[in-house]
């Protein structure tokens, strides 16, 4: 089945989606901006993410909603992974999660876990402590909110 790709878009049936190359480039850039070992301040990281996500979504606002929501979840999980990497020691993880309102038992289970950062970023404790609302307060821009703002500017 031939699918037409033009300027980063691809037509699939009646829907307009990103071309595979555009999506791969997007994911590559997000991986760079959410690299665990990139030693920059959180303010700088959030600012760079905001610049990139806003510009990218302004260009690709015509796509359907479904992949936007999945990408938004993926970006937040990568950010949570970066926080876990920063809180390297178990005691630091536990202390910071408790400060963020996670019950002590859940915080201890994350702090003492030997699983990898990316896997732990999906756990209930991390999603409670570093909730979507908390990440937004820190400066993370939601791809979903950007999509809605571009698609429905007056609503």
């Amino acid at each position: 089945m031939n699918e037409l790709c033009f300027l980063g878009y691809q037509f699939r049936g009646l829907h307009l989606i990103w071309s595979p190359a555009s999506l791969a480039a997007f994911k590559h850039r997000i991986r760079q901006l959410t690299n665990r070992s990139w030693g920059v301040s959180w303010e700088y990281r959030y600012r760079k993410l905001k610049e990139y996500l806003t510009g990218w979504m302004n260009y690709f606002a015509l796509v359907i909603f479904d992949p936007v929501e999945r990408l938004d979840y993926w970006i937040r999980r990568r950010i949570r992974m970066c926080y876990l990497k920063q809180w390297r020691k178990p005691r630091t993880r536990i202390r910071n999660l408790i400060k963020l309102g996670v019950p002590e038992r859940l915080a201890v289970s994350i702090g003492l876990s030997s699983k990898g950062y990316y896997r732990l970023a999906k756990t209930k404790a991390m999603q409670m402590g570093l909730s979507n609302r908390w990440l937004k307060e820190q400066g993370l821009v939601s791809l979903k909110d950007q999509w809605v703002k571009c698609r429905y500017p007056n609503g």
Side-chain angles (χ1 to χ4, degrees):
M1 177 178 193
N2 279 338
E3 294 179 351
L4 176 65
C5 292
F6 184 67
L7 295 176
Y9 287 101
Q10 180 176 357
F11 294 97
R12 181 165 294 157
L14 298 174
H15 298 290
L16 197 59
I17 61 171
W18 303 298
S19 69
S22 297
L23 188 57
F26 172 78
K27 285 186 171 185
H28 178 71
R29 183 67 180 139
I30 294 297
R31 283 186 187 105
Q32 287 177 335
L33 293 172
T34 59
N35 190 343
R36 293 184 314 215
S37 59
W38 190 32
V40 296
S41 71
W42 280 104
E43 181 183 319
Y44 181 76
R45 186 185 305 254
Y46 285 133
R47 188 173 68 240
K48 287 297 182 184
L49 271 168
K50 180 179 181 177
E51 289 172 6
Y52 185 69
L53 292 175
T54 303
W56 199 81
M57 191 44 68
N58 284 337
Y59 184 77
F60 285 105
L62 300 175
V63 298
I64 57 177
F65 182 72
D66 184 47
V68 172
E69 198 168 27
R70 282 183 281 130
L71 285 174
D72 203 28
Y73 171 78
W74 176 71
I75 292 167
R76 287 191 308 266
R77 186 173 176 187
R78 290 204 47 96
I79 290 292
R80 289 181 182 113
M81 173 191 68
C82 292
Y83 275 103
L84 276 170
K85 169 77 175 190
Q86 187 179 17
W87 304 336
R88 182 165 284 145
K89 294 184 179 181
R91 184 175 294 173
T92 308
R93 285 186 198 172
I94 294 167
R95 184 176 54 243
N96 286 331
L97 285 171
I98 289 173
K99 273 189 219 173
L100 291 169
V102 176
E104 188 174 346
R105 183 176 173 161
L106 281 175
V108 169
S109 72
I110 293 297
L112 299 178
S113 177
S114 62
K115 293 183 172 43
Y117 300 120
Y118 190 71
R119 185 165 178 184
L120 287 175
K122 190 179 180 179
T123 60
K124 181 180 179 182
M126 287 301 293
Q127 292 190 11
M128 283 175 63
L130 280 70
S131 66
N132 297 351
R133 189 187 53 172
W134 186 84
L135 290 172
K136 188 174 184 176
E137 290 170 2
Q138 300 303 308
L140 182 64
V141 174
S142 169
L143 200 59
K144 184 170 83 171
D145 293 344
Q146 291 294 318
W147 183 85
V148 169
K149 193 186 302 180
C150 290
R151 289 295 283 253
Y152 308 105
N154 297 330

